[in-house]
Amino acid sequence: MNKIVKIILAAVVMLSMSSVTLSADVAKGQKLYLKKLKGACNMNGAKMATQHSQGEWKVIGNGAGLATELKKICPSVKDKALKGKYLPHYYDFFFEYANDSGNVPSC
């Protein structure tokens, strides 16, 4: 019985730690945008995020659809800047500061 409790406890700890690392972050998305995309897009983060409404960003999503949309808006963006691990952060940033959100980023 003691062994089962330890296994369950270990599983709970691992799941809670992994959920923290998998969550996207608006601030990280803003930093990534400034570092990876701003030069290729020739626009600041506020202008980029307001290309769409929150509903439109939701339809685009945070995966391959977002990468495709970013290539369409910024044709000179490099594939390296569109890694899968960056896309959820970009998405959160764009969604948070979309044209109908009323929020304005500081970049």
Side-chain angles (χ1 to χ4, degrees):
M1 188 70 156
N2 224 0
K3 199 174 198 178
I4 293 173
V5 172
K6 287 181 182 179
I7 292 172
I8 291 172
L9 183 60
V12 168
V13 169
M14 286 191 322
L15 285 174
S16 66
M17 291 176 73
S18 68
S19 67
V20 170
T21 59
L22 293 177
S23 64
D25 183 14
V26 174
K28 187 170 184 175
Q30 183 175 358
K31 287 179 186 176
L32 283 169
Y33 177 80
L34 290 171
K35 185 176 180 181
K36 306 277 185 193
L37 297 176
K38 186 178 179 184
C41 294
N42 287 329
M43 64 179 90
N44 65 22
K47 187 171 180 184
M48 179 65 179
T50 59
Q51 296 292 311
H52 296 292
S53 67
Q54 286 183 327
E56 292 167 338
W57 283 120
K58 202 177 277 190
V59 169
I60 292 167
N62 64 2
L66 180 59
T68 302
E69 183 64 18
L70 289 173
K71 282 252 184 203
K72 188 167 47 170
I73 295 170
C74 313
S76 63
V77 72
K78 293 182 170 57
D79 288 335
K80 195 165 98 170
L82 300 176
K83 288 183 182 177
K85 66 181 181 179
Y86 300 150
L87 294 175
H89 301 293
Y90 291 146
Y91 172 79
D92 277 2
F93 172 64
F94 298 147
F95 184 83
E96 179 72 17
Y97 298 108
N99 61 22
D100 61 346
S101 72
N103 300 323
V104 179
S106 61
C107 61

